[in-house]
């Protein structure tokens, strides 16, 4: 448990740095939507990692998998130490004041910048919407997993390989977004994705009712193709928000606002999981008793449609980068003249 905690802690720190670097690089070079390429890379890594992990785990001892995983981390650590910060193509934002700021002063400065950014309705309203849209859905993924493995006796490796299918679908969705869908109104796009997400939650109902068997689809094939579809769509739904927030983020706030968004999404997922546990307990879903599971799947779908009621908090259009003629200025958040200014056509009530 301690090793898992430490590995997740390290991954969280790396993700914070990664999100901030991508946002700052995209802001500096006026590359709106750079986050979509990051999601593509993550999806391709997920396909490769899950595939190789499943193959190696089926033929070798789990310790071998852990050794390989640790070796890859050591290679990443060596590359990080060998990479110079200047090679990232980012300007230094440190003060030229010879007196260095203390850690406490830096934290206080970043916190004040974060609050200033969150006071902007163009940032806070979409952020609140995406957090609430995840939190209000009680996720029964753990219950569904127990049903699949204990009641239907499906091999857990089938559920694991379904993540490969999910990552392939995610990669396809991201490519389609980057090529075609980013020109669609964000409010319309997210609305369609939310409806699709709610519909995908009904796939659990199909499996529980064994409707797939009636049309000739075995349980293992159905689970392999659709077990991770809802999670995939939920992941894809967050990508346009990363693009939007990164575009609106004032220069100098990338290291605080983008990680705040990622942390808030993680917290909303935890809240959603707690609601799922509460729903399972309320419906009396326990080991060996899955009679109320169809009702739970239906309630999940209905809950996923609730955020459509306040979808007016989302902008009608995506970010557009235009050239700012003003030059110079401070890099402090809220007091700067940016080389690239983000304009967003909001039509909010």
């Amino acid at each position: 448990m301690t090793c898992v905690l430490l590995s997740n802690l390290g991954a969280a720190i790396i993700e914070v740095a990664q999100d901030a670097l991508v946002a700052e690089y995209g802001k500096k070079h006026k590359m709106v939507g750079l986050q979509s390429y990051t999601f593509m890379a993550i999806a391709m890594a997920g396909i490769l990692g899950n595939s190789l992990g499943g193959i190696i785990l089926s033929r070798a001892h789990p310790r071998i998998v852990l050794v390989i995983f640790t070796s890859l981390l050591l290679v990443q650590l060596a590359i990080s130490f060998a990479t110079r910060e200047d090679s990232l193509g980012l300007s230094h934002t440190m003060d030229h004041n010879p007196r260095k700021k203390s850690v406490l002063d830096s934290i206080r400065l970043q916190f004040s910048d974060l609050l200033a950014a969150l006071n902007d309705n163009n940032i806070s309203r979409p952020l609140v919407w995406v957090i609430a849209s995840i939190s209000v859905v009680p996720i029964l993924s753990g219950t569904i997993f127990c049903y699949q493995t204990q009641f239907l006796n499906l091999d857990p490796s089938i559920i694991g390989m379904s993540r490969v299918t999910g990552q392939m679908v995610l990669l396809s969705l991201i490519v389609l977004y980057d090529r075609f869908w980013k020109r669609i109104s964000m409010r319309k796009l997210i609305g369609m994705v939310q409806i699709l997400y709610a519909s995908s939650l009904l796939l659990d109902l199909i499996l529980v009712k064994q409707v797939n068997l009636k049309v000739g689809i075995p349980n293992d094939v159905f689970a392999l193709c659709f077990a991770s579809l809802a999670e995939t769509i939920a992941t894809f739904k967050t990508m346009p928000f990363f693009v939007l927030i990164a575009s609106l983020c004032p220069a100098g706030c990338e290291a605080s606002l983008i990680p705040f968004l990622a942390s808030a999404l993680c917290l909303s997922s935890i809240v959603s999981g707690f609601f799922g546990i509460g729903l399972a307990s309320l419906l009396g879903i326990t080991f060996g008793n899955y009679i109320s599971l169809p009702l739970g799947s239906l309630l999940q779908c209905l809950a996923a449609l609730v955020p459509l009621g306040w979808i007016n908090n989302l902008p009608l259009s995506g970010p557009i980068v235009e050239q700012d003629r003003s030059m110079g200025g401070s890099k402090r958040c809220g007091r700067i003249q940016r080389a690239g200014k983000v304009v967003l056509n909001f039509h909010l009530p």
Side-chain angles (χ1 to χ4, degrees):
M1 183 66 71
T2 303
C3 293
V4 173
L5 177 63
L6 291 177
S7 65
N8 288 337
L9 177 61
I13 295 174
I14 292 175
E15 185 175 356
V16 167
Q18 167 193 293
D19 292 337
L21 287 173
V22 171
E24 186 177 351
Y25 188 89
K27 175 75 70 175
K28 178 183 177 181
H29 297 277
K30 306 179 184 66
M31 300 173 63
V32 178
L34 189 60
Q35 286 72 21
S36 62
Y37 294 98
T38 304
F39 273 73
M40 287 184 194
I42 294 174
M44 289 188 288
I47 294 172
L48 182 61
N50 287 321
S51 301
L52 292 179
I55 294 173
I56 297 174
L57 190 59
S58 63
R59 300 183 180 182
H61 194 275
R63 290 182 180 177
I64 303 299
V65 180
L66 292 177
V67 170
I68 296 175
F69 175 71
T70 304
S71 301
L72 292 174
L73 291 180
L74 291 176
V75 171
Q76 183 184 21
L77 179 63
I79 294 175
S80 300
F81 276 123
T83 302
R84 297 182 59 184
E85 187 176 354
D86 297 337
S87 65
L88 300 177
L90 299 175
S91 59
H92 296 283
T93 58
M94 296 190 312
D95 273 336
H96 296 287
N97 190 341
R99 189 186 60 157
K100 290 186 177 180
K101 294 187 178 77
S102 65
V103 175
L104 185 60
D105 290 337
S106 298
I107 294 176
R108 187 182 296 110
L109 180 64
Q110 287 292 327
F111 184 71
S112 63
D113 288 347
L114 176 61
L115 292 180
L118 292 178
N119 283 331
D120 186 354
N121 287 334
N122 293 345
I123 294 177
S124 61
R125 296 181 71 172
L127 193 147
V128 170
W129 188 93
V130 68
I131 294 173
S133 69
I134 297 174
S135 301
V136 298
V137 182
I139 292 299
L140 297 174
S141 56
T143 305
I144 294 296
F145 179 79
C146 292
Y147 176 80
Q148 292 170 338
T149 56
Q150 297 174 358
F151 189 81
L152 298 180
N153 296 319
L154 295 179
D155 193 330
S157 63
I158 298 293
I159 312 301
M161 290 302 296
S162 69
R163 293 188 174 274
V164 178
T165 306
Q167 293 293 338
M168 294 175 64
V169 173
L170 178 61
L171 179 60
S172 301
L173 291 174
I174 295 172
V175 172
L176 289 173
Y177 171 81
D178 187 67
R179 296 284 293 178
F180 307 107
W181 296 346
K182 63 183 178 182
R183 299 176 181 86
I184 302 176
S185 163
M186 183 173 182
R187 188 181 299 180
K188 181 179 179 180
L189 175 63
I190 296 300
M192 292 188 297
V193 172
Q194 190 69 19
I195 294 174
L196 183 61
Y197 172 64
S199 302
S200 66
L201 292 173
L202 292 177
L203 293 172
D204 295 334
L205 179 62
I206 293 176
L207 185 63
V208 173
K209 288 293 187 179
Q210 296 288 272
V211 177
N212 56 294
L213 294 180
K214 297 178 182 178
V215 296
I217 303 177
N219 288 330
D220 53 352
V221 175
F222 187 87
L224 178 63
C225 296
F226 301 111
S228 298
L229 184 59
E231 181 181 352
T232 298
I233 297 174
T235 302
F236 172 74
K237 184 183 71 174
T238 63
M239 189 194 64
F241 289 93
F242 275 98
V243 174
L244 175 67
I245 299 300
S247 301
L248 294 174
C249 178
C253 293
E254 295 89 350
S256 54
L257 183 58
I258 305 301
F260 176 81
L261 171 60
S263 302
L265 293 177
C266 290
L267 179 60
S268 62
S269 298
I270 295 174
V271 173
S272 175
F274 275 113
F275 283 161
I277 295 173
L279 179 62
S281 300
L282 183 64
L283 297 178
I285 303 174
T286 58
F287 175 74
N289 182 16
Y290 299 101
I291 297 177
S292 300
L293 189 54
L295 177 59
S297 299
L298 182 60
L299 291 177
Q300 275 189 123
C301 176
L302 295 177
L305 295 175
V306 171
L308 295 175
W310 60 81
I311 200 170
N312 287 338
N313 287 292
L314 301 183
L316 284 175
S317 60
I320 305 170
V321 175
E322 45 176 52
Q323 196 71 20
D324 192 354
R325 294 174 182 163
S326 59
M327 301 294 295
S330 171
K331 291 187 177 180
R332 276 298 314 277
C333 171
R335 296 179 235 172
I336 60 173
Q337 295 292 333
R338 296 194 294 276
K341 181 175 64 178
V342 176
V343 176
L344 195 62
N345 296 328
F346 272 92
H347 297 279
L348 299 175

